[in-house]
Amino acid sequence: MAWRSALIRGLLTDEEWSFFEPFLVSASPLGGRPARDHRRVLDAIFWIARTGAPWRDLPVELGNWNSVFRQFRRWTASGLWDVVLEALADGAGEADLLQMIDSTSIRAHHCAAGGKGGTHRQGLGRSRGGFTSKLHIRGNAHGLPIALHVTAGQEADCSNYDALMEARDSDPAIMLGDKGYDSDPIRRDLSDRGAVPEIPTKRNRHLQHYVSRPLYALRSRIECFINRLKNSRRVATRYDQTADSFLGFAALSSIRLWIRFAHVT
């Protein structure tokens, strides 16, 4: 592993690799690479995620860019990142009792256009400033994601509530959300799940719902997570033509933040 002596920032620590290794080795029949290469491939993918650089600019110390790209696509298509994220969420204990939902707009580079099936099918929407995507996030009590979903940038938050809830079978006791999720169907669904919606009411509604200020203040945790997530430039700006590749980078960057949080606590 002499390649790890190269002056490249952000390489996996031994603790991070010890978490990823069982998932990647078990996925090796899908990946088609020797298990000993997986750490370098993952280092290369994280380098791309952190820097936002084109695949062709990958440092030679981290491997052949095309081989790394194809491995990333295989792992992403296999649903591996969803499995890893679910394992982290399952290990968080009672943190699922309080959940929160939010979204963030992502400006897309012009090279993100051209994906198969058209821009909207790939989670791209047109706005005055160009193409945009929206990353929808369902988080636990720590603000860490337990479900991710990507859509075109102009789609309303409330219309993607169902997709976030279907992505993980764990009903909250309390759900935090901003006014973008203030809708009667969402409130009814949460009530049916036995959850209390801590969602402020829009001003134009006749029936105003009370919100606990101390509980609602906890929603800042998911906002802080989004800020940290966008330190990965491949997430802060979308360069990928396909929605699943962009979501793969978002999931991987989220997983690394999960692991770091777990080691701190």
Side-chain angles (χ1 to χ4, degrees):
M1 296 184 42
W3 54 271
R4 291 187 63 80
S5 62
L7 297 177
I8 298 175
R9 293 193 303 116
L11 297 178
L12 289 170
T13 65
D14 290 338
E15 291 78 11
E16 288 173 328
W17 171 241
S18 67
F19 172 82
F20 277 108
E21 186 176 15
F23 295 98
L24 301 183
V25 171
S26 64
S28 59
L30 293 171
R33 295 180 65 89
R36 65 179 180 275
D37 289 344
H38 287 334
R39 183 169 182 172
R40 180 164 67 163
V41 171
L42 198 57
D43 270 325
I45 294 170
F46 274 122
W47 186 89
I48 293 289
R50 181 176 61 82
T51 64
W55 285 102
R56 291 177 183 270
D57 291 345
L58 184 72
V60 294
E61 294 88 349
L62 292 175
N64 177 272
W65 74 267
N66 193 42
S67 297
V68 174
F69 167 74
R70 287 188 284 110
Q71 184 68 73
F72 169 72
R73 288 292 300 161
R74 282 192 289 265
W75 279 336
T76 300
S78 73
L80 177 62
W81 314 133
D82 295 332
V83 172
V84 177
L85 194 60
E86 183 177 358
L88 286 165
D90 287 344
E94 296 182 349
D96 272 7
L97 292 178
L98 188 149
Q99 297 180 19
M100 49 195 78
I101 45 179
D102 205 352
S103 70
T104 182
S105 294
I106 308 291
R107 180 63 57 86
H109 194 270
H110 65 82
C111 67
K116 185 180 295 186
T119 54
H120 193 274
R121 183 177 177 182
Q122 296 298 342
L124 286 167
R126 290 186 179 273
S127 66
R128 184 175 298 178
F131 288 112
T132 57
S133 293
K134 184 176 282 189
L135 184 63
H136 304 267
I137 304 167
R138 177 182 168 195
N140 65 11
H142 305 298
L144 295 168
I146 58 177
L148 299 170
H149 181 58
V150 64
T151 66
Q154 74 273 13
E155 292 202 16
D157 291 347
C158 60
S159 64
N160 290 280
Y161 164 84
D162 289 339
L164 286 176
M165 298 305 289
E166 291 169 3
R168 176 166 172 76
D169 185 18
S170 177
D171 292 338
I174 299 171
M175 177 65 83
L176 308 181
D178 62 21
K179 291 182 180 180
Y181 300 95
D182 175 32
S183 76
D184 292 335
I186 290 178
R187 292 183 184 276
R188 282 195 298 269
D189 180 73
L190 288 171
S191 179
D192 292 342
R193 295 172 183 268
V196 177
E198 293 291 346
I199 301 173
T201 313
K202 297 176 183 176
R203 291 185 178 181
N204 60 352
R205 289 174 56 100
H206 294 294
L207 179 61
Q208 295 289 310
H209 295 273
Y210 170 79
V211 174
S212 168
R213 289 183 179 273
L215 282 175
Y216 190 73
L218 297 177
R219 206 179 65 83
S220 63
R221 295 178 180 180
I222 197 170
E223 295 173 339
C224 290
F225 164 77
I226 290 172
N227 288 337
R228 293 193 298 271
L229 182 63
K230 288 189 174 182
N231 286 332
S232 295
R233 295 185 177 184
R234 198 84 183 197
V235 179
T237 301
R238 176 172 169 176
Y239 297 97
D240 298 282
Q241 290 185 344
T242 62
D244 59 343
S245 283
F246 172 73
L247 201 56
F249 278 118
L252 261 176
S253 300
S254 298
I255 290 166
R256 199 167 195 183
L257 290 173
W258 253 103
I259 297 172
R260 290 174 177 175
F261 174 85
H263 280 275
V264 169
T265 57

